[in-house]
Amino acid sequence: MTHSHFAYGWVNPLMGFGFALAGSFLGLTCMVLARNLPSGRARVRWLTFASLAIGGTGIWMMHFIAMIGFTVKGNNVKYDLGITALSLVMSIVSVAFGLFVVGQGKPSIAKIAIGGPLTGLGVVVMHYTGMAAVNIPGSIHYDLVWVGASVAIALVAATVALFFTTWVRGRGSLVAASVIMAIAVCGMHYTGMFSISVTLRTDVNSVPGVDPLLLLIPILVLATAVLIGLIVGVLGEKDDKPVEAEPAPAVVEEPTPALVGAPASSFWDSDTKPDEAADPRLTERGRPMLAARLADRPHPLPRQRERDWETSAEFNGFEEPPARR
């Protein structure tokens, strides 16, 4: 066999699956946030973030990481930088098309039936555009049966992914949907890769392009920055809806402490008046003292003295006031 898809063992497939899983989960989370907002700039912003997460990280980064593992024995494999960048743009644009179709307005099965296959075709074009960026000392041929299988997987995967972005809610459902999407993306890529065969030429000594390992570090740094930005944005999102004010806590009125030495009173104690419980001078023992004090107190106004006497008479049972002084 002249070529291999696993030059570094299982490192590339596992890394590719990790990017596909992370991009799918963040993209679905952004779609949930977009669905919770009314149509407008806020929803467009989260739909754009979802397109970057799914198209840029979940699909294209998985594709590129897996392509690093593609080697031709005894020969160099290089990439055309312009075509590689074009495949990235095509991945994001195709996913954005499907997400904006189902994400704007009221979701429906008809929108998914239209947007899903078109998005899947965009992913297929992205994949084989990325393959066209590969330069080897020879030529690459494709088995149409495997190509058809990869196209079918892409169409079904894109349609199911749009369904997930429209109706999936809850953390457990998001994780399950992300795993399914990541498996579908990886399955589509490696099915397409198994369709190729390589014919080498002995008269070619060098090929144009950039070594993929030189592209790996800057692309990983860029992808990591995008992932961190999306994670911070999702975790820091407090929802654009106005926050409802929490009800004020009920104020519990503390009972006024009774005067020192006041007798204990009970609600069911009908013989004890409230005033007697609050002021010990109003008890049976304190009434004569209060009456005498009111009677002996000099008042400038006679009428005020009579009122004071009536107050003391009420407590002592006197029938008429004493003679005015």
PDB file of all heavy atoms in Angstrom, residues 166-206:
ATOM      1  N   THR A 166     -32.409  22.417  16.523  1.00  0.00           N
ATOM      2  CA  THR A 166     -33.726  23.042  16.585  1.00  0.00           C
ATOM      3  C   THR A 166     -34.499  22.631  17.818  1.00  0.00           C
ATOM      4  O   THR A 166     -35.208  23.455  18.424  1.00  0.00           O
ATOM      5  CB  THR A 166     -34.547  22.686  15.316  1.00  0.00           C
ATOM      6  OG1 THR A 166     -33.776  23.041  14.155  1.00  0.00           O
ATOM      7  CG2 THR A 166     -35.874  23.429  15.297  1.00  0.00           C
ATOM      8  N   TRP A 167     -34.389  21.381  18.254  1.00  0.00           N
ATOM      9  CA  TRP A 167     -35.263  20.900  19.316  1.00  0.00           C
ATOM     10  C   TRP A 167     -34.557  20.349  20.558  1.00  0.00           C
ATOM     11  O   TRP A 167     -35.209  20.114  21.568  1.00  0.00           O
ATOM     12  CB  TRP A 167     -36.213  19.824  18.761  1.00  0.00           C
ATOM     13  CG  TRP A 167     -37.413  20.420  18.098  1.00  0.00           C
ATOM     14  CD1 TRP A 167     -38.485  21.015  18.691  1.00  0.00           C
ATOM     15  CD2 TRP A 167     -37.654  20.489  16.688  1.00  0.00           C
ATOM     16  NE1 TRP A 167     -39.376  21.446  17.749  1.00  0.00           N
ATOM     17  CE2 TRP A 167     -38.902  21.136  16.496  1.00  0.00           C
ATOM     18  CE3 TRP A 167     -36.958  20.065  15.562  1.00  0.00           C
ATOM     19  CZ2 TRP A 167     -39.454  21.376  15.249  1.00  0.00           C
ATOM     20  CZ3 TRP A 167     -37.511  20.309  14.319  1.00  0.00           C
ATOM     21  CH2 TRP A 167     -38.740  20.951  14.168  1.00  0.00           C
ATOM     22  N   VAL A 168     -33.284  20.113  20.480  1.00  0.00           N
ATOM     23  CA  VAL A 168     -32.605  19.511  21.631  1.00  0.00           C
ATOM     24  C   VAL A 168     -32.477  20.536  22.750  1.00  0.00           C
ATOM     25  O   VAL A 168     -32.086  21.674  22.525  1.00  0.00           O
ATOM     26  CB  VAL A 168     -31.219  18.983  21.231  1.00  0.00           C
ATOM     27  CG1 VAL A 168     -30.403  18.618  22.463  1.00  0.00           C
ATOM     28  CG2 VAL A 168     -31.360  17.773  20.332  1.00  0.00           C
ATOM     29  N   ARG A 169     -32.826  20.114  23.978  1.00  0.00           N
ATOM     30  CA  ARG A 169     -32.674  20.944  25.170  1.00  0.00           C
ATOM     31  C   ARG A 169     -32.172  20.065  26.315  1.00  0.00           C
ATOM     32  O   ARG A 169     -32.345  18.861  26.291  1.00  0.00           O
ATOM     33  CB  ARG A 169     -33.996  21.601  25.576  1.00  0.00           C
ATOM     34  CG  ARG A 169     -34.506  22.633  24.580  1.00  0.00           C
ATOM     35  CD  ARG A 169     -35.781  23.291  25.065  1.00  0.00           C
ATOM     36  NE  ARG A 169     -36.307  24.239  24.102  1.00  0.00           N
ATOM     37  CZ  ARG A 169     -35.944  25.509  24.039  1.00  0.00           C
ATOM     38  NH1 ARG A 169     -35.074  25.968  24.922  1.00  0.00           N
ATOM     39  NH2 ARG A 169     -36.432  26.313  23.133  1.00  0.00           N
ATOM     40  N   GLY A 170     -31.582  20.694  27.316  1.00  0.00           N
ATOM     41  CA  GLY A 170     -31.087  19.946  28.461  1.00  0.00           C
ATOM     42  C   GLY A 170     -29.654  19.509  28.253  1.00  0.00           C
ATOM     43  O   GLY A 170     -29.236  19.162  27.136  1.00  0.00           O
ATOM     44  N   ARG A 171     -28.878  19.504  29.323  1.00  0.00           N
ATOM     45  CA  ARG A 171     -27.453  19.178  29.218  1.00  0.00           C
ATOM     46  C   ARG A 171     -27.235  17.746  28.762  1.00  0.00           C
ATOM     47  O   ARG A 171     -26.369  17.470  27.923  1.00  0.00           O
ATOM     48  CB  ARG A 171     -26.777  19.412  30.568  1.00  0.00           C
ATOM     49  CG  ARG A 171     -25.277  19.188  30.553  1.00  0.00           C
ATOM     50  CD  ARG A 171     -24.656  19.605  31.859  1.00  0.00           C
ATOM     51  NE  ARG A 171     -24.873  21.021  32.110  1.00  0.00           N
ATOM     52  CZ  ARG A 171     -24.477  21.651  33.210  1.00  0.00           C
ATOM     53  NH1 ARG A 171     -23.859  20.971  34.164  1.00  0.00           N
ATOM     54  NH2 ARG A 171     -24.699  22.934  33.352  1.00  0.00           N
ATOM     55  N   GLY A 172     -28.000  16.792  29.292  1.00  0.00           N
ATOM     56  CA  GLY A 172     -27.827  15.408  28.878  1.00  0.00           C
ATOM     57  C   GLY A 172     -28.127  15.209  27.407  1.00  0.00           C
ATOM     58  O   GLY A 172     -27.390  14.500  26.696  1.00  0.00           O
ATOM     59  N   SER A 173     -29.188  15.850  26.915  1.00  0.00           N
ATOM     60  CA  SER A 173     -29.530  15.743  25.497  1.00  0.00           C
ATOM     61  C   SER A 173     -28.463  16.395  24.624  1.00  0.00           C
ATOM     62  O   SER A 173     -28.144  15.891  23.541  1.00  0.00           O
ATOM     63  CB  SER A 173     -30.893  16.389  25.241  1.00  0.00           C
ATOM     64  OG  SER A 173     -31.902  15.748  25.992  1.00  0.00           O
ATOM     65  N   LEU A 174     -27.910  17.506  25.086  1.00  0.00           N
ATOM     66  CA  LEU A 174     -26.851  18.171  24.316  1.00  0.00           C
ATOM     67  C   LEU A 174     -25.615  17.293  24.200  1.00  0.00           C
ATOM     68  O   LEU A 174     -25.001  17.205  23.125  1.00  0.00           O
ATOM     69  CB  LEU A 174     -26.485  19.501  24.981  1.00  0.00           C
ATOM     70  CG  LEU A 174     -27.478  20.656  24.838  1.00  0.00           C
ATOM     71  CD1 LEU A 174     -26.997  21.856  25.633  1.00  0.00           C
ATOM     72  CD2 LEU A 174     -27.661  21.034  23.384  1.00  0.00           C
ATOM     73  N   VAL A 175     -25.243  16.631  25.282  1.00  0.00           N
ATOM     74  CA  VAL A 175     -24.068  15.753  25.244  1.00  0.00           C
ATOM     75  C   VAL A 175     -24.314  14.580  24.297  1.00  0.00           C
ATOM     76  O   VAL A 175     -23.452  14.232  23.467  1.00  0.00           O
ATOM     77  CB  VAL A 175     -23.727  15.262  26.665  1.00  0.00           C
ATOM     78  CG1 VAL A 175     -22.635  14.197  26.614  1.00  0.00           C
ATOM     79  CG2 VAL A 175     -23.291  16.426  27.546  1.00  0.00           C
ATOM     80  N   ALA A 176     -25.480  13.946  24.403  1.00  0.00           N
ATOM     81  CA  ALA A 176     -25.790  12.813  23.527  1.00  0.00           C
ATOM     82  C   ALA A 176     -25.811  13.235  22.063  1.00  0.00           C
ATOM     83  O   ALA A 176     -25.244  12.552  21.196  1.00  0.00           O
ATOM     84  CB  ALA A 176     -27.135  12.207  23.931  1.00  0.00           C
ATOM     85  N   ALA A 177     -26.430  14.376  21.774  1.00  0.00           N
ATOM     86  CA  ALA A 177     -26.472  14.866  20.395  1.00  0.00           C
ATOM     87  C   ALA A 177     -25.074  15.213  19.893  1.00  0.00           C
ATOM     88  O   ALA A 177     -24.745  14.965  18.721  1.00  0.00           O
ATOM     89  CB  ALA A 177     -27.384  16.088  20.301  1.00  0.00           C
ATOM     90  N   SER A 178     -24.236  15.770  20.759  1.00  0.00           N
ATOM     91  CA  SER A 178     -22.869  16.117  20.354  1.00  0.00           C
ATOM     92  C   SER A 178     -22.056  14.877  20.009  1.00  0.00           C
ATOM     93  O   SER A 178     -21.279  14.882  19.046  1.00  0.00           O
ATOM     94  CB  SER A 178     -22.179  16.902  21.474  1.00  0.00           C
ATOM     95  OG  SER A 178     -22.893  18.083  21.777  1.00  0.00           O
ATOM     96  N   VAL A 179     -22.216  13.820  20.790  1.00  0.00           N
ATOM     97  CA  VAL A 179     -21.505  12.568  20.505  1.00  0.00           C
ATOM     98  C   VAL A 179     -21.939  12.002  19.153  1.00  0.00           C
ATOM     99  O   VAL A 179     -21.102  11.569  18.331  1.00  0.00           O
ATOM    100  CB  VAL A 179     -21.739  11.547  21.631  1.00  0.00           C
ATOM    101  CG1 VAL A 179     -21.158  10.188  21.248  1.00  0.00           C
ATOM    102  CG2 VAL A 179     -21.112  12.037  22.936  1.00  0.00           C
ATOM    103  N   ILE A 180     -23.247  12.017  18.890  1.00  0.00           N
ATOM    104  CA  ILE A 180     -23.748  11.503  17.608  1.00  0.00           C
ATOM    105  C   ILE A 180     -23.208  12.333  16.448  1.00  0.00           C
ATOM    106  O   ILE A 180     -22.774  11.796  15.408  1.00  0.00           O
ATOM    107  CB  ILE A 180     -25.286  11.503  17.613  1.00  0.00           C
ATOM    108  CG1 ILE A 180     -25.807  10.515  18.659  1.00  0.00           C
ATOM    109  CG2 ILE A 180     -25.838  11.145  16.226  1.00  0.00           C
ATOM    110  CD1 ILE A 180     -27.310  10.548  18.845  1.00  0.00           C
ATOM    111  N   MET A 181     -23.213  13.660  16.614  1.00  0.00           N
ATOM    112  CA  MET A 181     -22.694  14.524  15.553  1.00  0.00           C
ATOM    113  C   MET A 181     -21.209  14.287  15.330  1.00  0.00           C
ATOM    114  O   MET A 181     -20.733  14.236  14.181  1.00  0.00           O
ATOM    115  CB  MET A 181     -22.953  15.990  15.905  1.00  0.00           C
ATOM    116  CG  MET A 181     -24.413  16.408  15.814  1.00  0.00           C
ATOM    117  SD  MET A 181     -24.677  18.128  16.330  1.00  0.00           S
ATOM    118  CE  MET A 181     -23.663  19.001  15.130  1.00  0.00           C
ATOM    119  N   ALA A 182     -20.430  14.143  16.405  1.00  0.00           N
ATOM    120  CA  ALA A 182     -18.986  13.924  16.265  1.00  0.00           C
ATOM    121  C   ALA A 182     -18.703  12.606  15.551  1.00  0.00           C
ATOM    122  O   ALA A 182     -17.807  12.532  14.692  1.00  0.00           O
ATOM    123  CB  ALA A 182     -18.328  13.944  17.641  1.00  0.00           C
ATOM    124  N   ILE A 183     -19.460  11.554  15.897  1.00  0.00           N
ATOM    125  CA  ILE A 183     -19.269  10.264  15.219  1.00  0.00           C
ATOM    126  C   ILE A 183     -19.608  10.380  13.733  1.00  0.00           C
ATOM    127  O   ILE A 183     -18.903   9.839  12.863  1.00  0.00           O
ATOM    128  CB  ILE A 183     -20.139   9.186  15.894  1.00  0.00           C
ATOM    129  CG1 ILE A 183     -19.627   8.910  17.310  1.00  0.00           C
ATOM    130  CG2 ILE A 183     -20.138   7.904  15.067  1.00  0.00           C
ATOM    131  CD1 ILE A 183     -20.497   7.960  18.098  1.00  0.00           C
ATOM    132  N   ALA A 184     -20.684  11.126  13.421  1.00  0.00           N
ATOM    133  CA  ALA A 184     -21.080  11.291  12.024  1.00  0.00           C
ATOM    134  C   ALA A 184     -20.027  12.060  11.231  1.00  0.00           C
ATOM    135  O   ALA A 184     -19.695  11.700  10.085  1.00  0.00           O
ATOM    136  CB  ALA A 184     -22.423  12.011  11.956  1.00  0.00           C
ATOM    137  N   VAL A 185     -19.473  13.127  11.831  1.00  0.00           N
ATOM    138  CA  VAL A 185     -18.452  13.920  11.134  1.00  0.00           C
ATOM    139  C   VAL A 185     -17.211  13.074  10.879  1.00  0.00           C
ATOM    140  O   VAL A 185     -16.658  13.065   9.757  1.00  0.00           O
ATOM    141  CB  VAL A 185     -18.105  15.174  11.963  1.00  0.00           C
ATOM    142  CG1 VAL A 185     -16.890  15.884  11.376  1.00  0.00           C
ATOM    143  CG2 VAL A 185     -19.292  16.126  12.005  1.00  0.00           C
ATOM    144  N   CYS A 186     -16.750  12.346  11.891  1.00  0.00           N
ATOM    145  CA  CYS A 186     -15.572  11.478  11.708  1.00  0.00           C
ATOM    146  C   CYS A 186     -15.852  10.363  10.709  1.00  0.00           C
ATOM    147  O   CYS A 186     -14.990  10.019   9.876  1.00  0.00           O
ATOM    148  CB  CYS A 186     -15.145  10.886  13.053  1.00  0.00           C
ATOM    149  SG  CYS A 186     -14.544  12.111  14.252  1.00  0.00           S
ATOM    150  N   GLY A 187     -17.049   9.793  10.792  1.00  0.00           N
ATOM    151  CA  GLY A 187     -17.400   8.725   9.854  1.00  0.00           C
ATOM    152  C   GLY A 187     -17.424   9.204   8.426  1.00  0.00           C
ATOM    153  O   GLY A 187     -16.947   8.520   7.500  1.00  0.00           O
ATOM    154  N   MET A 188     -17.970  10.407   8.211  1.00  0.00           N
ATOM    155  CA  MET A 188     -18.001  10.969   6.853  1.00  0.00           C
ATOM    156  C   MET A 188     -16.584  11.185   6.317  1.00  0.00           C
ATOM    157  O   MET A 188     -16.278  10.866   5.158  1.00  0.00           O
ATOM    158  CB  MET A 188     -18.786  12.279   6.864  1.00  0.00           C
ATOM    159  CG  MET A 188     -18.885  12.989   5.520  1.00  0.00           C
ATOM    160  SD  MET A 188     -17.551  14.183   5.288  1.00  0.00           S
ATOM    161  CE  MET A 188     -17.677  14.437   3.514  1.00  0.00           C
ATOM    162  N   HIS A 189     -15.706  11.732   7.178  1.00  0.00           N
ATOM    163  CA  HIS A 189     -14.346  12.038   6.724  1.00  0.00           C
ATOM    164  C   HIS A 189     -13.591  10.772   6.341  1.00  0.00           C
ATOM    165  O   HIS A 189     -13.014  10.694   5.227  1.00  0.00           O
ATOM    166  CB  HIS A 189     -13.581  12.778   7.829  1.00  0.00           C
ATOM    167  CG  HIS A 189     -12.135  12.985   7.490  1.00  0.00           C
ATOM    168  ND1 HIS A 189     -11.697  14.028   6.702  1.00  0.00           N
ATOM    169  CD2 HIS A 189     -11.014  12.260   7.817  1.00  0.00           C
ATOM    170  CE1 HIS A 189     -10.381  13.950   6.561  1.00  0.00           C
ATOM    171  NE2 HIS A 189      -9.944  12.888   7.232  1.00  0.00           N
ATOM    172  N   TYR A 190     -13.583   9.779   7.221  1.00  0.00           N
ATOM    173  CA  TYR A 190     -12.779   8.586   6.952  1.00  0.00           C
ATOM    174  C   TYR A 190     -13.405   7.720   5.861  1.00  0.00           C
ATOM    175  O   TYR A 190     -12.682   6.995   5.162  1.00  0.00           O
ATOM    176  CB  TYR A 190     -12.563   7.797   8.240  1.00  0.00           C
ATOM    177  CG  TYR A 190     -11.489   8.419   9.107  1.00  0.00           C
ATOM    178  CD1 TYR A 190     -11.816   9.113  10.260  1.00  0.00           C
ATOM    179  CD2 TYR A 190     -10.141   8.333   8.754  1.00  0.00           C
ATOM    180  CE1 TYR A 190     -10.835   9.700  11.050  1.00  0.00           C
ATOM    181  CE2 TYR A 190      -9.154   8.920   9.534  1.00  0.00           C
ATOM    182  CZ  TYR A 190      -9.511   9.609  10.678  1.00  0.00           C
ATOM    183  OH  TYR A 190      -8.531  10.198  11.431  1.00  0.00           O
ATOM    184  N   THR A 191     -14.711   7.816   5.677  1.00  0.00           N
ATOM    185  CA  THR A 191     -15.314   7.119   4.536  1.00  0.00           C
ATOM    186  C   THR A 191     -14.831   7.732   3.230  1.00  0.00           C
ATOM    187  O   THR A 191     -14.497   7.019   2.268  1.00  0.00           O
ATOM    188  CB  THR A 191     -16.850   7.196   4.622  1.00  0.00           C
ATOM    189  OG1 THR A 191     -17.294   6.589   5.832  1.00  0.00           O
ATOM    190  CG2 THR A 191     -17.495   6.485   3.438  1.00  0.00           C
ATOM    191  N   GLY A 192     -14.782   9.079   3.195  1.00  0.00           N
ATOM    192  CA  GLY A 192     -14.256   9.731   2.003  1.00  0.00           C
ATOM    193  C   GLY A 192     -12.782   9.448   1.787  1.00  0.00           C
ATOM    194  O   GLY A 192     -12.313   9.303   0.643  1.00  0.00           O
ATOM    195  N   MET A 193     -12.009   9.345   2.883  1.00  0.00           N
ATOM    196  CA  MET A 193     -10.575   9.073   2.751  1.00  0.00           C
ATOM    197  C   MET A 193     -10.313   7.655   2.252  1.00  0.00           C
ATOM    198  O   MET A 193      -9.346   7.418   1.512  1.00  0.00           O
ATOM    199  CB  MET A 193      -9.874   9.290   4.092  1.00  0.00           C
ATOM    200  CG  MET A 193      -9.846  10.741   4.543  1.00  0.00           C
ATOM    201  SD  MET A 193      -8.965  11.816   3.388  1.00  0.00           S
ATOM    202  CE  MET A 193      -7.276  11.256   3.606  1.00  0.00           C
ATOM    203  N   PHE A 194     -11.179   6.722   2.625  1.00  0.00           N
ATOM    204  CA  PHE A 194     -10.985   5.340   2.161  1.00  0.00           C
ATOM    205  C   PHE A 194     -11.313   5.173   0.681  1.00  0.00           C
ATOM    206  O   PHE A 194     -11.046   4.116   0.103  1.00  0.00           O
ATOM    207  CB  PHE A 194     -11.852   4.385   2.984  1.00  0.00           C
ATOM    208  CG  PHE A 194     -11.293   4.114   4.352  1.00  0.00           C
ATOM    209  CD1 PHE A 194     -12.131   4.058   5.448  1.00  0.00           C
ATOM    210  CD2 PHE A 194      -9.936   3.911   4.546  1.00  0.00           C
ATOM    211  CE1 PHE A 194     -11.629   3.818   6.716  1.00  0.00           C
ATOM    212  CE2 PHE A 194      -9.423   3.670   5.807  1.00  0.00           C
ATOM    213  CZ  PHE A 194     -10.275   3.630   6.904  1.00  0.00           C
ATOM    214  N   SER A 195     -11.883   6.216   0.085  1.00  0.00           N
ATOM    215  CA  SER A 195     -12.226   6.116  -1.341  1.00  0.00           C
ATOM    216  C   SER A 195     -11.048   6.432  -2.246  1.00  0.00           C
ATOM    217  O   SER A 195     -11.151   6.254  -3.471  1.00  0.00           O
ATOM    218  CB  SER A 195     -13.371   7.091  -1.666  1.00  0.00           C
ATOM    219  OG  SER A 195     -12.922   8.444  -1.581  1.00  0.00           O
ATOM    220  N   ILE A 196      -9.933   6.897  -1.667  1.00  0.00           N
ATOM    221  CA  ILE A 196      -8.830   7.352  -2.516  1.00  0.00           C
ATOM    222  C   ILE A 196      -7.812   6.238  -2.743  1.00  0.00           C
ATOM    223  O   ILE A 196      -7.661   5.320  -1.935  1.00  0.00           O
ATOM    224  CB  ILE A 196      -8.129   8.583  -1.916  1.00  0.00           C
ATOM    225  CG1 ILE A 196      -7.357   8.210  -0.659  1.00  0.00           C
ATOM    226  CG2 ILE A 196      -9.112   9.697  -1.635  1.00  0.00           C
ATOM    227  CD1 ILE A 196      -6.524   9.350  -0.102  1.00  0.00           C
ATOM    228  N   SER A 197      -7.135   6.369  -3.864  1.00  0.00           N
ATOM    229  CA  SER A 197      -5.974   5.533  -4.187  1.00  0.00           C
ATOM    230  C   SER A 197      -4.927   6.438  -4.815  1.00  0.00           C
ATOM    231  O   SER A 197      -5.264   7.454  -5.448  1.00  0.00           O
ATOM    232  CB  SER A 197      -6.345   4.390  -5.139  1.00  0.00           C
ATOM    233  OG  SER A 197      -6.902   4.904  -6.338  1.00  0.00           O
ATOM    234  N   VAL A 198      -3.672   6.098  -4.645  1.00  0.00           N
ATOM    235  CA  VAL A 198      -2.573   6.969  -5.055  1.00  0.00           C
ATOM    236  C   VAL A 198      -1.735   6.280  -6.131  1.00  0.00           C
ATOM    237  O   VAL A 198      -1.394   5.092  -6.007  1.00  0.00           O
ATOM    238  CB  VAL A 198      -1.692   7.330  -3.841  1.00  0.00           C
ATOM    239  CG1 VAL A 198      -0.471   8.140  -4.290  1.00  0.00           C
ATOM    240  CG2 VAL A 198      -2.500   8.097  -2.812  1.00  0.00           C
ATOM    241  N   THR A 199      -1.415   7.026  -7.167  1.00  0.00           N
ATOM    242  CA  THR A 199      -0.494   6.568  -8.208  1.00  0.00           C
ATOM    243  C   THR A 199       0.718   7.489  -8.201  1.00  0.00           C
ATOM    244  O   THR A 199       0.586   8.705  -8.447  1.00  0.00           O
ATOM    245  CB  THR A 199      -1.158   6.595  -9.595  1.00  0.00           C
ATOM    246  OG1 THR A 199      -2.315   5.750  -9.581  1.00  0.00           O
ATOM    247  CG2 THR A 199      -0.187   6.117 -10.664  1.00  0.00           C
ATOM    248  N   LEU A 200       1.889   6.953  -7.900  1.00  0.00           N
ATOM    249  CA  LEU A 200       3.091   7.755  -7.774  1.00  0.00           C
ATOM    250  C   LEU A 200       3.816   7.872  -9.112  1.00  0.00           C
ATOM    251  O   LEU A 200       3.702   7.000  -9.985  1.00  0.00           O
ATOM    252  CB  LEU A 200       4.028   7.141  -6.739  1.00  0.00           C
ATOM    253  CG  LEU A 200       3.504   7.091  -5.301  1.00  0.00           C
ATOM    254  CD1 LEU A 200       4.516   6.382  -4.408  1.00  0.00           C
ATOM    255  CD2 LEU A 200       3.225   8.501  -4.789  1.00  0.00           C
ATOM    256  N   ARG A 201       4.564   8.952  -9.222  1.00  0.00           N
ATOM    257  CA  ARG A 201       5.381   9.199 -10.410  1.00  0.00           C
ATOM    258  C   ARG A 201       6.846   9.261  -9.979  1.00  0.00           C
ATOM    259  O   ARG A 201       7.200   9.913  -9.008  1.00  0.00           O
ATOM    260  CB  ARG A 201       4.970  10.513 -11.077  1.00  0.00           C
ATOM    261  CG  ARG A 201       3.554  10.499 -11.630  1.00  0.00           C
ATOM    262  CD  ARG A 201       3.173  11.879 -12.153  1.00  0.00           C
ATOM    263  NE  ARG A 201       4.134  12.364 -13.150  1.00  0.00           N
ATOM    264  CZ  ARG A 201       4.058  13.572 -13.719  1.00  0.00           C
ATOM    265  NH1 ARG A 201       3.080  14.421 -13.373  1.00  0.00           N
ATOM    266  NH2 ARG A 201       4.967  13.932 -14.625  1.00  0.00           N
ATOM    267  N   THR A 202       7.663   8.584 -10.723  1.00  0.00           N
ATOM    268  CA  THR A 202       9.083   8.531 -10.375  1.00  0.00           C
ATOM    269  C   THR A 202       9.864   9.712 -10.917  1.00  0.00           C
ATOM    270  O   THR A 202      11.001   9.954 -10.492  1.00  0.00           O
ATOM    271  CB  THR A 202       9.692   7.234 -10.920  1.00  0.00           C
ATOM    272  OG1 THR A 202       9.495   7.191 -12.351  1.00  0.00           O
ATOM    273  CG2 THR A 202       9.037   6.024 -10.279  1.00  0.00           C
ATOM    274  N   ASP A 203       9.283  10.463 -11.853  1.00  0.00           N
ATOM    275  CA  ASP A 203      10.009  11.574 -12.463  1.00  0.00           C
ATOM    276  C   ASP A 203       9.804  12.888 -11.708  1.00  0.00           C
ATOM    277  O   ASP A 203      10.283  13.928 -12.154  1.00  0.00           O
ATOM    278  CB  ASP A 203       9.596  11.749 -13.925  1.00  0.00           C
ATOM    279  CG  ASP A 203       8.109  11.985 -14.065  1.00  0.00           C
ATOM    280  OD1 ASP A 203       7.349  11.640 -13.121  1.00  0.00           O
ATOM    281  OD2 ASP A 203       7.683  12.528 -15.098  1.00  0.00           O
ATOM    282  N   VAL A 204       9.078  12.850 -10.583  1.00  0.00           N
ATOM    283  CA  VAL A 204       8.822  14.061  -9.802  1.00  0.00           C
ATOM    284  C   VAL A 204       9.625  13.971  -8.524  1.00  0.00           C
ATOM    285  O   VAL A 204       9.474  13.026  -7.743  1.00  0.00           O
ATOM    286  CB  VAL A 204       7.317  14.222  -9.493  1.00  0.00           C
ATOM    287  CG1 VAL A 204       7.101  15.465  -8.637  1.00  0.00           C
ATOM    288  CG2 VAL A 204       6.531  14.310 -10.779  1.00  0.00           C
ATOM    289  N   ASN A 205      10.482  14.950  -8.302  1.00  0.00           N
ATOM    290  CA  ASN A 205      11.332  14.937  -7.117  1.00  0.00           C
ATOM    291  C   ASN A 205      10.777  15.784  -5.971  1.00  0.00           C
ATOM    292  O   ASN A 205      11.036  15.485  -4.799  1.00  0.00           O
ATOM    293  CB  ASN A 205      12.745  15.426  -7.491  1.00  0.00           C
ATOM    294  CG  ASN A 205      13.427  14.491  -8.468  1.00  0.00           C
ATOM    295  OD1 ASN A 205      13.248  13.270  -8.397  1.00  0.00           O
ATOM    296  ND2 ASN A 205      14.206  15.055  -9.392  1.00  0.00           N
ATOM    297  N   SER A 206      10.078  16.834  -6.277  1.00  0.00           N
ATOM    298  CA  SER A 206       9.552  17.722  -5.242  1.00  0.00           C
ATOM    299  C   SER A 206       8.156  18.186  -5.633  1.00  0.00           C
ATOM    300  O   SER A 206       7.791  18.183  -6.816  1.00  0.00           O
ATOM    301  CB  SER A 206      10.474  18.936  -5.039  1.00  0.00           C
ATOM    302  OG  SER A 206      10.562  19.699  -6.227  1.00  0.00           O
TER     303      SER A 206
END
